[in-house]
Amino acid sequence: MEKRVTLHDKTFRVMIPAEEIDAAVGRVAERLNHDYAGRTPVFLGVLSGAFLFLSDLVRKTEFNSQLAFVKISSYEGTQSTGKVQQQLGVDFDITGRDIIIVEDIVETGHSMNYLLAHLRAKHPASITICTLFFKPDKFLYEYPIDYAAFSIGNEFIVGYGLDYDQLGRNLKDIYVIDNE
């Protein structure tokens, strides 16, 4: 019997089990270990969704790094509002630093575009984007997504840091709305 959870008014079923997520995070970490060997980048976690991914990712890296967090949002319920709001920001100088933005999911790219413009104004040496999920069919921009653990379609997902109206972040698997 397939595992299901109910959050608010919707039922979700497992789409990606925890073991597959862990393996994908390991593959991203291997690439980062190669690309950042001998460097000390700043991992910039986008709250709240990326906290589990960032935590697991940095523990699989083998280079020195710093951690910082930013909180931006553009979601209400299951839909992006298209308007980005920043609530927390980087509170130290990133001039000349390598920045690895760690995001839970990149869809339209509006939030990331906003964040990239904000960070570029602070003159880092480099900025790369690392996301757990990328939705290429919804992406509206030309900048590269440097590291994506998974590319998915347009389904709405929860778990492993992603939420539905603030519920479901604690789920170890990734769930998708069950249309049965």
Side-chain angles (χ1 to χ4, degrees):
M1 173 114 170
E2 196 168 40
K3 228 167 49 171
R4 287 181 169 70
V5 297
T6 299
L7 306 171
H8 296 297
D9 59 340
K10 300 197 181 319
T11 301
F12 296 82
R13 63 180 163 74
V14 172
M15 178 179 162
I16 304 171
E19 300 77 26
E20 286 182 37
I21 298 166
D22 186 61
V25 173
R27 288 188 296 273
V28 171
E30 285 177 21
R31 289 183 54 214
L32 289 168
N33 284 332
H34 176 266
D35 295 350
Y36 287 90
R39 294 158 70 184
T40 305
V42 176
F43 281 102
L44 181 60
V46 180
L47 296 174
S48 293
F51 76 103
L52 287 176
F53 175 43
L54 176 61
S55 174
D56 288 346
L57 182 66
V58 298
R59 286 183 288 162
K60 292 177 187 293
T61 59
E62 298 167 352
F63 50 85
N64 290 326
S65 63
Q66 283 184 263
L67 294 178
F69 297 91
V70 63
K71 185 168 178 76
I72 55 177
S73 63
S74 65
Y75 253 79
E76 287 179 11
T78 62
Q79 298 296 315
S80 175
T81 63
K83 293 180 281 191
V84 179
Q85 297 179 324
Q86 181 173 338
Q87 292 139 344
L88 283 173
V90 178
D91 59 356
F92 60 92
D93 187 13
I94 61 168
T95 303
R97 300 293 306 274
D98 294 313
I99 307 297
I100 303 170
I101 301 170
V102 180
E103 180 64 287
D104 58 353
I105 189 164
V106 176
E107 295 184 39
T108 63
H110 292 317
S111 296
M112 189 61 63
N113 195 57
Y114 171 90
L115 186 55
L116 286 169
H118 178 75
L119 291 173
R120 285 180 182 134
K122 296 178 181 285
H123 309 290
S126 68
I127 303 172
T128 56
I129 299 168
C130 178
T131 186
L132 183 59
F133 292 101
F134 177 48
K135 291 186 174 184
D137 293 344
K138 291 186 94 171
F139 191 62
L140 302 174
Y141 294 90
E142 295 296 318
Y143 57 79
I145 304 302
D146 304 285
Y147 306 91
F150 296 96
S151 286
I152 62 171
N154 292 330
E155 51 270 315
F156 182 78
I157 56 175
V158 299
Y160 196 71
L162 290 91
D163 72 298
Y164 171 47
D165 276 347
Q166 301 304 318
L167 294 182
R169 291 189 196 279
N170 62 311
L171 300 168
K172 66 179 182 172
D173 304 304
I174 292 294
Y175 288 76
V176 64
I177 292 176
D178 189 1
N179 292 323
E180 288 181 10

